[in-house]
């Protein structure tokens, strides 16, 4: 059976180069006599892997020296709690509400302090990003929080809030490594790995040094960034195999693709092909304001639920899987992360054209 094109929002496709490299090292990593999955995280072999992974991430993203890179577990969802536990000093943070994931972050923040919602796009089913220049930021807020790319609704910030001395905290789970960014504009970046970085089970936090060390004394050790930073992400057993795969993904981006500028070109081309079809289709439409469209998650509908269901079923039969939209919004969604080749998007568009002719 040939491999399918997997348009899932996550866990998502991995590049075949990565999978083949991992397969070749499954029984024995280099000359260690063992699989990475069997290694002690305290071994010199694994310490070399995690060190190399961090160094590659720093090179690929251009992470400044005064930022720590932490490899964690618990998914991005645990960060909804860890961030306020570590960063709330005055007790409140500004939030721009753009969908389900910011809603969950707000709920957890409110258990520890207070979320001040500066703007929301809920009035239009989160189909746009609020104007970040027109918001009443609080100079005494502990941080400003955004979900930069919204997987469910297919929106993306094209301009970051200018927050002055207040740190910007951003959930980059579904757009990290998709394009070059200026890390210095953020106080803290976090991302679940299972979209653009590797398999589920790993979460990466990139945090400015001065934001570490402010958790209260009763914060559990495992939830304190200071603990993780002091132990170089080795306070307990980290997700070793997921870190190994993340390192291979970064090697693929760096050595095979040629870095994030080249990755951005690829992603622009894929998204342009799909959005151009949607904009000229008589059957399918994209609900997002064009200026706020995501490069990674493309949502679309026919306007008829029965027709949507037929499309999803027939797409699967064609090897185009996981195009069903999130249960909260319905319709369809094509997540075209880094590992999705142009051939996959071309196949999807060709199928959509034929489906439109047949129905």
């Amino acid at each position: 059976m040939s491999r399918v094109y997997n348009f899932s929002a996550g866990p998502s496709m991995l590049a075949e180069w990565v999978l083949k490299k991992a397969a070749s090292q499954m029984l024995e990593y280099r000359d260690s006599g063992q699989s990475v999955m069997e290694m002690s995280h305290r071994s010199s072999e694994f310490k070399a892997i995690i060190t190399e992974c961090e160094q590659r991430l720093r090179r690929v993203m251009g992470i400044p020296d005064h930022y720590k890179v932490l490899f964690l577990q618990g998914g991005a969802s645990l960060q909804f709690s860890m961030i306020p536990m570590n960063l709330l000093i005055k007790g409140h943070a500004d939030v721009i509400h753009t969908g389900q994931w910011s809603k969950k972050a707000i709920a957890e923040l409110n258990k520890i302090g207070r979320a001040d919602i500066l703007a929301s796009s809920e009035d239009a089913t989160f189909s746009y990003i609020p104007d970040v220049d027109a918001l009443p930021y609080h100079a005494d807020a502990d941080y400003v929080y955004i979900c930069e790319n919204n997987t469910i609704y297919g929106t993306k910030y094209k301009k970051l809030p200018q927050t002055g001395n207040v740190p910007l905290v951003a959930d980059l789970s579904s757009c990290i490594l998709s394009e070059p960014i200026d890390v210095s504009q953020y106080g803290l970046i976090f991302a679940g790995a299972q979209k653009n970085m590797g398999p589920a089970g790993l979460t990466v936090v990139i945090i400015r040094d001065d934001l570490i060390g402010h958790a209260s004394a009763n914060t559990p050790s495992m939830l304190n960034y200071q603990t993780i930073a002091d132990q170089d992400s080795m306070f307990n057993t980290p997700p070793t195999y997921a870190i190994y795969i993340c390192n291979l993904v970064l090697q693929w981006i760096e050595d095979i693709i040629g870095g994030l500028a080249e990755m951005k070109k690829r992603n622009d081309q894929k998204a342009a092909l799909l959005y151009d079809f949607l904009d000229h289709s008589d059957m399918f439409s994209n609900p997002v304001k064009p200026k706020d469209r995501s490069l990674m998650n493309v949502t679309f509908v026919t306007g008829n639920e029965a027709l949507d269901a037929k499309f999803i079923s027939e797409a699967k039969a064609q090897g185009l899987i996981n195009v069903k939209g999130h249960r909260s919004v319905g319709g369809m969604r094509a997540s075209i992360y880094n590992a999705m080749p142009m051939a996959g998007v071309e196949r999807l568009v060709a199928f959509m054209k034929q489906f439109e002719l047949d129905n």
Side-chain angles (χ1 to χ4, degrees), residues 60-62 148 156 175-183 185-186 259-265 267:
V60 168
M61 291 186 66
E148 191 162 322
K156 166 75 163 66
C175 62
I176 197 167
L177 301 178
S178 64
E179 61 183 347
I181 65 168
D182 180 359
V183 174
Q185 292 190 68
Y186 304 83
L260 294 186
E262 287 300 315
M263 187 62 76
K264 173 72 157 56
K265 290 179 186 176
N267 289 331

Side-chain angles (χ1 to χ4, degrees), residues 8 13 21 61 84 86 106 124 137 159 174 177 182 192 207 213 254 256 260 270 281 324 345:
S8 171
M13 288 184 72
K21 184 80 169 178
M61 291 186 66
N86 284 268
I106 290 164
Y137 301 103
K159 182 178 184 180
S174 53
L177 301 178
D182 180 359
I207 179 171
E254 190 173 35
I256 308 301
L260 294 186
K270 290 185 297 183
S281 171
K324 185 177 183 179
V345 181

